[in-house]
Amino acid sequence: MFNDKETFKQVFRERLIGNLGKPLAEASNADVYNILGSMIRERAGSNWADTNQKYKADKDKQVYYFSMEFLIGRLLGNNLLNMGVLELVREGLTDLGFTLQDVEEEEADAGLGNGGLGRLAACFLDSLASLQYAGHGCGIRYKYGLFEQKIVDGYQVELPDYWLQKDNVWEVRREDKAVEVRFWGRVETDAKDGELIFTHKDYEAVRAVPYDIPIIGADHRHVNTLRNWSAESITQPSRTLGVLGGTDYHKYLEYKRSVESISEFLYPDDTEYEGKLLRLKQQYFLCSAGLQSILRTFGKLDLPYEELPNKVALHINDTHPTLVIPELMRILMDEKGFGWDQAWDITTRMVSYTNHTILSEALEKWPLQMVKELLPRIFLIIEEINARFCGELMSRYPGDQDRIAQMAIIHDDQVRMAHLAIVASHSVNGVAALHTDILKKREMRLFNEMYPHRFNNKTNGITHRRWLLHANPELAGLINDSIGTRWKHHPQEMIGLIKYCEDASFQEQIAGIKRRNKLRLAEYINSKHGVWVDPDSIFDVQVKRLHAYKRQLLNILHIIHLYNQIKDNPSMDMVPRTFIFGAKAAPSYHLAKRIIKLINTVADVVNNDPDIKGKVKIFFLENYSVSLAEKIIPAADVSEQISTASKEASGTGNMKFMMNGALTIGTMDGANVEMHEMVGDNNMFLFGLRAEQVLDYYQHGGYNARDVYNGDGRVKEVLDQLITPGPICNHTQEFETIYHSLLDNNDEFFVLKDFASYVETQVEIDLAYRNRKEWVKKSIINIGHSGKFSSDNTISRYASEIWNIHPVLL
Ligand code: 26V
């Protein structure tokens, strides 16, 4: 279609006229975005077809990554980059009088995920395609993404994120690939030739229609598929009304509304979970539709079903898609005629599971009754899996009732999804070394004892294409100039940068890039908030979901302390600091929302206090999202990764900051531990309790938050400011919940316990920053080691150690 700038410009003009009837002079950025998007999609289209053709002809093994969330963000820039036409298009657009950056801003940010888990899924898709693996995503096409956050008077307000309002140029509706998913009803059991036959009767049918998004790999013409399912009503009302038992049109409307609600909203709860019928419906909808379509594709290969595990791998991203297991059993037994044992053998050889959290609130459990009513056949299968598993436990550990109660899949009238996932998977992995270790030794100890080879670690990763090449092109350019371009395909070769860490001119260039990125962010903040931040101050950034264990509270309490110090001594010597926050709180998570209000209140006080003389500035950037992250992260000097040790399974923001040259202040938690292993004490600022100590306190007690309050004047002063009238506490009691969580509830996340060590480490940062050469050297060392955290590395391990797949050369 176009391989050089001039042809691109010509085709572009023709399209503009042909499709929109507009000459260049009248085109808006939105027009340019739509035309460009359709050109790129078309260009990818033939590669997409070729890739699928090749997979089919070779009968290559396919991996399907089932996830309730794919936080893919914007696609235009990434697609241009992976297709190798980014620079050509950028220059072509400039010639035509547009800037690519403005055009990119026209794209809705597909926020079909909550945070880390969904973003990881998106990075994995990029790596799968770029490494030429046959790996696809299977998700839900939510009409509304994660809510849009506004800050009004310092409070979080949630607005619906109707991201589909603008046409989505990347998706293709595949009417012909629709399938039917069945809910409710009853199961009839008959015996035929000595075998039991199960028939699902009186069910409510839902039509699942797929929307496919091409996932364009870098450089190799590989295009995989993210297939997102949309729930629609069955189009022949007569059929449905029969099922509903009436002819009432209102009933049909009711049915239609209830069906469509299945793919309407992404659940905004990141960890805390109440059993919601709709969520269970969403999960089964994804699993059933996804599996039916996968098996249809497999069916076209004309192979016996015994071959299925050699041709298809099913990966479940956390327990949310665990119903893939009983659904596959159902299809194999009820539709393909397999007996239990063979169906079980096929299923367990196909399924693998990743655990993303040890927070007990997030471990899914479904009320048995709800499963029984909504999914009667699936319920029977889960019961049978449980009965057989408990039988096995009894023969292995006779008389050990306690162990059986702890491990059973069904317990207390609830289905424990993690237990089901472990029992039916051939691989269970954690997402960082420490996390996997905690799973094996504590959370899932009994299962690890029983299946010692099943548990393994796969440390998370991030795609260096989006998070370095696209988000920080200047830095990527400098890396090219210094070590060549091989690192783009072999990111671990970024280690070659280390030899320049003391090179004065290289240091200067690194510092210059950081300065320009900071300036760009300052301009963005100015345009959004009308406030100027000093690009020569330290940009100290904490952006992630708001949760007590992530301890944004520790960060803001330290800032209050800093404020107190400057008020006491206005000439205090410190490097000016700009603290930047971005965080969404689950709408029902009251404590988290109060912390947002506290951050904004303190920002208001500090930013407007003339005594502070600009030494400290605080910004809460609203609506943190993938595209905002791409602006913020390249501009950060300090990356806050300060979770209570043992609580953050891995973290992936930590890796993005490292790759962009920020230095980490962090606890020994999640993947921070592995970052530290690589860069050492000199290049990271560690503080606080270690995971072992935290877990020990949880187990044996011995921590008293009040002792810290009474023993450390700084802590007492700061906490008292939350509840006594003054600049922060404005005659309301709104921060009392925070105060009580720390003192009356004994500070579950050890904020006060780690306060002193955090403050001390922040002073170290202040001192270290003054030695610019040393600071930049540390920054280079971090960048150099960050290649290990490319998701390319992670995905090749999943491929060889879990899925048993190999690159498919086109
Ligand atoms: C739970 C629920 C419960 C129901 C409502 C929706 C919902 C959505 C997500 C979750 C679990 C969240 C688990 C999660 O995001 N874990 C994060 O996974 C990252 C990728 O592995 C990891 O880097 C983070 O440390 C971990 O917190």
Side-chain angles (χ1 to χ4, degrees):
M1 189 199 289
F2 61 88
N3 287 313
D4 59 78
K5 191 174 80 174
E6 292 310 319
T7 327
F8 163 71
K9 282 156 59 180
Q10 192 191 335
V11 177
F12 182 85
R13 279 173 194 271
E14 287 165 10
R15 287 291 176 95
L16 203 57
I17 293 283
N19 296 1
L20 299 181
K22 281 193 184 178
L24 202 56
E26 280 174 31
S28 64
N29 281 327
D31 296 332
V32 176
Y33 168 73
N34 283 320
I35 297 294
L36 184 56
S38 66
M39 282 168 72
I40 297 302
R41 198 189 63 203
E42 250 172 63
R43 193 184 158 106
S46 65
N47 290 345
W48 202 1
D50 291 349
T51 309
N52 283 328
Q53 198 47 46
K54 171 79 175 167
Y55 290 160
K56 192 172 166 191
D58 290 6
K59 302 189 166 87
D60 297 303
K61 183 171 182 181
Q62 309 285 309
V63 174
Y64 297 95
Y65 195 83
F66 276 77
S67 179
M68 291 286 282
E69 308 187 9
F70 286 93
L71 189 42
I72 52 182
R74 290 179 175 147
L75 290 179
L76 177 64
N78 209 66
N79 286 346
L80 292 171
L81 176 81
N82 281 4
M83 293 178 83
V85 294
L86 182 70
E87 285 318 313
L88 177 165
V89 168
R90 192 197 306 278
E91 288 166 19
L93 286 181
T94 310
D95 288 358
L96 298 172
F98 297 91
T99 49
L100 179 59
Q101 207 185 337
D102 293 344
V103 172
E104 284 186 68
E105 290 292 324
E106 290 297 324
E107 181 169 359
D109 192 320
L112 308 187
N114 271 287
L117 167 143
R119 184 54 232 173
L120 184 75
C123 284
F124 279 5
L125 291 184
D126 184 72
S127 287
L128 278 164
S130 297
L131 296 178
Q132 303 173 271
Y133 289 116
H136 314 276
C138 191
I140 293 181
R141 181 182 182 266
Y142 302 102
K143 204 160 149 193
Y144 296 90
L146 185 61
F147 64 87
E148 187 188 331
Q149 180 193 53
K150 289 258 178 249
I151 300 297
V152 179
D153 290 337
Y155 296 99
Q156 166 174 299
V157 174
E158 302 98 29
L159 303 176
D161 169 37
Y162 188 27
W163 71 292
L164 287 169
Q165 195 160 26
K166 298 184 180 176
D167 274 348
N168 183 358
V169 297
W170 304 115
E171 64 180 15
V172 188
R173 180 180 164 96
R174 300 251 192 243
E175 198 68 46
D176 55 319
K177 302 265 197 291
V179 297
E180 192 174 288
V181 178
R182 298 170 175 181
F183 295 100
W184 309 108
R186 62 196 169 82
V187 176
E188 259 183 25
T189 317
D190 296 303
K192 200 175 154 204
D193 305 332
E195 300 221 357
L196 285 179
I197 310 269
F198 298 90
T199 320
H200 193 179
K201 292 270 176 78
D202 298 340
Y203 52 81
E204 182 182 289
V206 174
R207 213 161 85 92
V209 184
Y211 285 74
D212 288 352
I213 297 179
I215 302 296
I216 301 171
D219 302 332
H220 296 287
R221 292 181 291 124
H222 261 254
V223 181
N224 288 333
T225 304
L226 166 57
R227 176 160 284 182
N228 283 334
W229 294 90
S230 176
E232 299 182 6
S233 52
I234 298 286
T235 35
Q236 308 108 295
S238 55
R239 216 187 117 204
T240 325
L241 288 177
V243 171
L244 294 172
T247 49
D248 188 344
Y249 187 63
H250 288 289
K251 268 200 171 155
Y252 177 71
L253 285 185
E254 215 173 90
Y255 153 78
K256 186 171 182 300
R257 222 169 287 133
S258 116
V259 162
E260 287 170 1
S261 70
I262 295 175
S263 55
E264 194 133 86
F265 287 101
L266 163 79
Y267 266 68
D269 265 312
D270 191 51
T271 47
E272 276 178 285
Y273 189 65
E274 307 147 49
K276 287 265 170 60
L277 178 65
L278 184 56
R279 172 85 177 167
L280 183 61
K281 266 192 180 177
Q282 290 184 327
Q283 296 187 349
Y284 182 66
F285 174 75
L286 167 68
C287 295
S288 178
L291 263 184
Q292 290 183 57
S293 118
I294 290 163
L295 294 181
R296 186 145 74 183
T297 306
F298 173 78
K300 292 191 188 136
L301 300 180
D302 268 338
L303 292 171
Y305 266 77
E306 285 78 359
E307 277 294 306
L308 199 49
N310 301 325
K311 296 294 167 194
V312 175
L314 306 171
H315 198 86
I316 56 180
N317 196 24
D318 219 297
T319 54
H320 319 150
T322 301
L323 292 173
V324 154
I325 293 159
E327 177 66 0
L328 180 56
M329 290 293 286
R330 179 189 73 76
I331 299 176
L332 290 172
M333 294 188 298
D334 298 359
E335 294 178 14
K336 307 295 174 197
F338 285 98
W340 183 279
D341 291 334
Q342 220 178 347
W344 183 249
D345 176 63
I346 293 176
T347 303
T348 50
R349 283 162 58 206
M350 291 173 73
V351 178
S352 46
Y353 152 58
T354 300
N355 174 284
H356 293 269
T357 182
I358 57 160
L359 295 186
S360 50
E361 315 87 279
L363 287 182
E364 288 189 300
K365 297 186 186 79
W366 291 108
L368 200 55
Q369 192 59 25
M370 193 192 279
V371 179
K372 188 174 180 179
E373 284 169 18
L374 184 71
L375 309 167
R377 178 63 182 128
I378 294 302
F379 163 78
L380 291 176
I381 293 170
I382 295 175
E383 257 199 336
E384 184 64 23
I385 296 175
N386 181 53
R388 288 175 187 241
F389 175 61
C390 290
E392 202 183 327
L393 287 175
M394 275 186 258
S395 57
R396 268 209 206 201
Y397 311 102
D400 195 345
Q401 288 309 320
D402 190 42
R403 181 184 294 255
I404 297 172
Q406 282 186 60
M407 296 178 78
I409 295 167
I410 298 177
H411 183 73
D412 251 355
D413 288 327
Q414 290 188 312
V415 185
R416 297 156 160 173
M417 301 308 269
H419 294 198
L420 178 56
I422 298 170
V423 170
S425 296
H426 63 84
S427 162
V428 177
N429 73 282
V431 290
L434 174 69
H435 169 61
T436 302
D437 212 50
I438 294 174
L439 287 180
K440 283 164 67 165
K441 295 207 180 112
R442 295 176 183 256
E443 256 36 56
M444 296 177 173
R445 182 174 60 83
L446 298 179
F447 287 99
N448 186 47
E449 256 172 55
M450 187 160 171
Y451 311 117
H453 302 298
R454 201 163 288 187
F455 287 80
N456 63 90
N457 178 56
K458 295 285 168 286
T459 299
N460 281 166
I462 55 166
T463 166
H464 61 288
R465 284 167 290 277
R466 180 179 291 264
W467 296 107
L468 175 50
L469 285 153
H470 183 250
N472 200 345
E474 244 199 295
L475 178 57
L478 176 60
I479 300 176
N480 287 339
D481 294 345
S482 43
I483 59 167
T485 57
R486 263 182 61 93
W487 67 277
K488 292 193 201 172
H489 295 110
H490 307 279
Q492 301 209 50
E493 293 190 9
M494 285 167 76
I495 198 76
L497 292 174
I498 305 288
K499 63 175 175 289
Y500 300 104
C501 72
E502 292 189 347
D503 177 324
S505 110
F506 189 77
Q507 287 180 348
E508 240 166 70
Q509 293 181 76
I510 287 282
I513 292 170
K514 182 62 79 185
R515 178 68 170 57
R516 286 187 287 281
N517 289 338
K518 288 167 75 174
L519 194 61
R520 247 190 305 276
L521 181 62
E523 279 159 2
Y524 174 82
I525 294 177
N526 191 25
S527 72
K528 280 267 161 189
H529 300 261
V531 206
W532 185 246
V533 299
D534 174 10
D536 290 315
S537 62
I538 300 176
F539 280 19
D540 180 322
V541 185
Q542 186 171 21
V543 285
K544 48 182 79 250
R545 280 301 285 263
L546 212 141
H547 200 287
Y549 84 79
K550 295 181 188 277
R551 301 200 295 191
Q552 283 92 350
L553 186 53
L554 177 58
N555 189 342
I556 194 68
L557 294 183
H558 163 253
I559 298 172
I560 300 175
H561 164 63
L562 207 52
Y563 173 67
N564 294 340
Q565 282 184 304
I566 304 173
K567 289 296 274 184
D568 285 347
N569 173 16
S571 59
M572 187 172 108
D573 178 28
M574 68 172 281
V575 184
R577 251 220 238 180
T578 302
F579 292 95
I580 296 171
F581 292 85
K584 289 183 181 179
S588 61
Y589 192 172
H590 300 295
L591 179 66
K593 291 174 114 174
R594 277 297 135 98
I595 294 171
I596 292 181
K597 173 64 178 168
L598 177 63
I599 295 170
N600 285 311
T601 305
V602 175
D604 219 32
V605 172
V606 174
N607 295 351
N608 296 309
D609 187 331
D611 290 350
I612 301 305
K613 297 198 189 71
K615 280 186 175 143
V616 175
K617 286 259 188 250
I618 306 158
F619 286 96
F620 188 101
L621 295 182
E622 65 187 7
N623 205 34
Y624 180 60
S625 56
V626 175
S627 49
L628 194 50
E630 289 178 50
K631 294 187 178 73
I632 298 172
I633 293 172
D637 295 306
V638 175
S639 155
E640 299 270 350
Q641 308 300 335
I642 59 177
S643 53
T644 311
S646 81
K647 293 289 179 184
E648 190 68 273
S650 159
T652 42
N654 45 2
M655 303 167 183
K656 294 167 197 163
F657 281 101
M658 179 191 195
M659 197 173 266
N660 283 278
L663 303 192
T664 303
I665 176 166
T667 46
M668 277 292 235
D669 201 13
N672 295 356
V673 176
E674 287 153 82
M675 285 163 57
H676 173 250
E677 224 165 73
M678 286 186 288
V679 303
D681 282 340
N682 266 339
N683 300 296
M684 229 175 135
F685 298 91
L686 292 178
F687 74 97
L689 291 174
R690 302 296 190 251
E692 279 299 319
Q693 296 172 296
V694 170
L695 294 170
D696 206 62
Y697 275 127
Y698 283 135
Q699 210 171 346
H700 303 114
Y703 171 49
N704 187 348
R706 269 201 193 271
D707 289 347
V708 182
Y709 172 82
N710 291 323
D712 186 334
R714 300 167 303 180
V715 171
K716 186 169 188 320
E717 182 182 13
V718 169
L719 291 198
D720 288 350
Q721 281 166 289
L722 301 183
I723 55 159
T724 32
I728 293 172
C729 174
N730 213 347
H731 302 285
T732 66
Q733 279 127 35
E734 59 186 356
F735 301 131
E736 269 184 8
T737 19
I738 298 177
Y739 182 90
H740 286 307
S741 78
L742 294 174
L743 292 178
D744 301 332
N745 293 336
N746 203 31
D747 183 18
E748 190 184 345
F749 297 104
F750 300 93
V751 174
L752 304 188
K753 181 82 187 161
D754 279 348
F755 182 83
S757 131
Y758 182 64
V759 171
E760 208 174 286
T761 311
Q762 286 288 17
V763 172
E764 270 177 49
I765 288 182
D766 178 272
L767 296 175
Y769 195 81
R770 298 169 194 227
N771 185 342
R772 296 296 291 133
K773 285 181 93 55
E774 271 302 304
W775 182 275
V776 179
K777 177 179 167 188
K778 292 181 206 297
S779 169
I780 297 168
I781 291 174
N782 272 275
I783 300 169
H785 282 97
S786 69
K788 171 163 187 242
F789 293 115
S790 165
S791 45
D792 286 7
N793 186 19
T794 314
I795 276 298
S796 31
R797 286 170 198 265
Y798 273 86
S800 61
E801 294 165 21
I802 300 180
W803 300 326
N804 190 24
I805 53 166
H806 307 281
V808 176
L809 308 182
L810 284 186

